[in-house]
């Protein structure tokens, strides 16, 4: 259910939305979860960011980045310092938006595991939604490592993965993973559309294909299949929207898909 300014949304014209935005809007409208917004602009912002998450996941899949565990991770030393735990710290003098975009432009120089891939996709989507100037202000202390997030990027824990919408993050668990390949204990995957996911290391697959891939890395003699976990994560779009519209000292330019909104707050 979508609720705008305290009222159940019933007459929003979705004809100007892209096909992906319209499918997300209809899924959210028909959901038992309440999506609440103070204005239509907030709804449009979320749809736009979700679209950029899907696009960024596809771009990362095509970028040439490799899969690796933390021990063997690597990055472009022009933009990032590889730290002892296998994460990447933005180099002094490099802007956050430059660091993120380099991963997509020079993917062959990078290798990391699936949780880091998800964080990179989320940062890229936010960057393309709000522009480099605001992105650099909000994420100045950028470090990429596992589920480590800058405080301005938050996730909400949700129940029932059947309620997930494109742009949400799901987890496929593999409880009987082979101890020799512990990185396949599960796969963090971004929902791209109807039963289509991006999971770093596996690529763009259906749920059955992800389960099949994980089952190939079970310990010998195991008969317990990998499966979709019963919880999922969702970017806190409302929190991000409040941040970018709360600074009354300047104009805010919010990009929503192909549209731009100039908000004089």
């Amino acid at each position: 259910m979508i609720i705008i300014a305290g009222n159940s949304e019933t007459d929003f014209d979705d004809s100007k939305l892209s096909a992906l935005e319209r499918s997300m809007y209809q899924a959210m409208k028909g959901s038992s979860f309440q999506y609440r917004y103070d204005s239509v602009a907030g709804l449009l912002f979320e749809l736009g960011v979700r679209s950029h998450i899907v696009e960024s996941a596809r771009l990362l899949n095509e970028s040439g980045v490799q899969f690796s565990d933390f021990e063997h991770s690597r990055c472009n030393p022009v933009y990032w310092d590889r730290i002892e735990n296998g994460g990447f710290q933005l180099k002094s003098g490099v802007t956050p938006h430059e660091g993120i975009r380099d991963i997509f432009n020079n993917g062959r120089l990078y290798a990391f595991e699936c949780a880091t891939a998800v964080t990179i996709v989320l940062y890229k989507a936010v960057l393309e939604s709000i522009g480099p100037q605001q992105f650099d202000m909000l994420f100045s202390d950028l470090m990429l490592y596992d589920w480590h997030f800058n405080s301005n990027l938050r996730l909400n824990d949700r129940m029932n993965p059947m309620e997930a919408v494109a742009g949400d993050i799901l987890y496929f668990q593999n409880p009987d993973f082979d101890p020799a390949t512990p990185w396949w204990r599960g796969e963090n995957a971004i929902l791209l559309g109807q039963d289509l996911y991006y999971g770093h290391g596996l690529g763009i697959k259906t749920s059955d294909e992800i389960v099949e891939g994980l089952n190939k890395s079970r310990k010998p003699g195991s008969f317990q299949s990998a499966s979709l976990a019963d919880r999922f994560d969702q970017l806190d779009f409302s929190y991000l929207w409040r941040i970018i519209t709360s600074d009354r000292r300047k104009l805010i330019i919010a990009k929503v898909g192909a549209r731009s909104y100039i908000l004089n707050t």
Side-chain angles (χ1 to χ4, degrees), residues 48-100:
V49 179
R50 284 182 178 277
S51 295
H52 280 303
I53 292 174
V54 172
E55 178 187 23
S56 297
R58 291 184 178 278
L59 290 174
L60 191 64
N61 183 60
E62 299 168 357
S63 68
V65 298
Q66 300 295 308
F67 180 89
S68 78
D69 58 11
F70 291 112
E71 183 180 357
H72 301 96
S73 67
R74 66 178 188 273
C75 56
N76 185 351
V78 175
Y79 291 88
W80 302 90
D81 290 320
R82 184 183 182 279
I83 51 184
E84 187 176 354
N85 61 12
F88 311 144
Q89 180 68 57
L90 192 68
K91 292 184 76 74
S92 177
V94 176
T95 61
H97 82 270
E98 290 175 325
I100 292 298

Side-chain angles (χ1 to χ4, degrees), residues 233-262:
D233 289 309
Q234 191 174 80
L235 186 64
D236 193 336
F237 301 97
S238 296
Y239 177 77
L240 187 60
W241 176 246
R242 289 196 300 271
I243 289 176
I244 69 168
T245 57
S246 64
D247 191 341
R248 299 182 179 275
R249 296 171 299 176
K250 59 182 180 296
L251 289 174
I252 307 294
I253 301 178
K255 295 183 178 180
V256 182
R259 302 177 296 274
S260 294
Y261 293 87
I262 300 179

Side-chain angles (χ1 to χ4, degrees), residues 60 65 68-77 79-91 94-104 106-107 109-127 135 139-151 153 200:
L60 191 64
V65 298
S68 78
D69 58 11
F70 291 112
E71 183 180 357
H72 301 96
S73 67
R74 66 178 188 273
C75 56
N76 185 351
Y79 291 88
W80 302 90
D81 290 320
R82 184 183 182 279
I83 51 184
E84 187 176 354
N85 61 12
F88 311 144
Q89 180 68 57
L90 192 68
K91 292 184 76 74
V94 176
T95 61
H97 82 270
E98 290 175 325
I100 292 298
R101 285 181 173 168
D102 184 70
I103 299 171
F104 291 81
N106 294 296
L109 301 178
Y110 293 85
F112 40 77
E113 44 62 68
C114 62
T116 300
V118 168
T119 67
I120 290 169
V121 167
L122 294 181
Y123 281 128
K124 178 68 157 55
V126 174
L127 165 60
F135 184 84
F139 305 106
S140 58
D141 57 342
L142 204 57
M143 183 180 76
L144 304 176
Y145 174 68
D146 199 25
W147 287 109
H148 172 91
F149 289 111
N150 175 284
S151 60
L153 195 71
H200 182 55

Side-chain angles (χ1 to χ4, degrees), residues 171-224:
Y171 184 68
F172 290 82
Q173 55 197 1
N174 190 19
D176 274 358
F177 66 92
D178 189 337
T181 56
W183 45 88
W184 292 123
R185 68 178 63 235
E187 178 77 347
N188 297 289
I190 296 173
L191 180 60
L192 305 181
Q194 185 66 34
D195 194 34
L196 195 63
Y197 304 83
Y198 165 66
H200 182 55
L202 293 177
I204 295 177
K205 305 287 184 182
T206 66
S207 57
D208 286 345
E209 289 171 334
I210 291 178
V211 168
E212 181 182 359
L214 290 174
N215 282 343
K216 294 177 181 178
S217 297
R218 289 182 296 180
K219 59 188 177 184
S222 169
F223 294 97
Q224 184 175 4

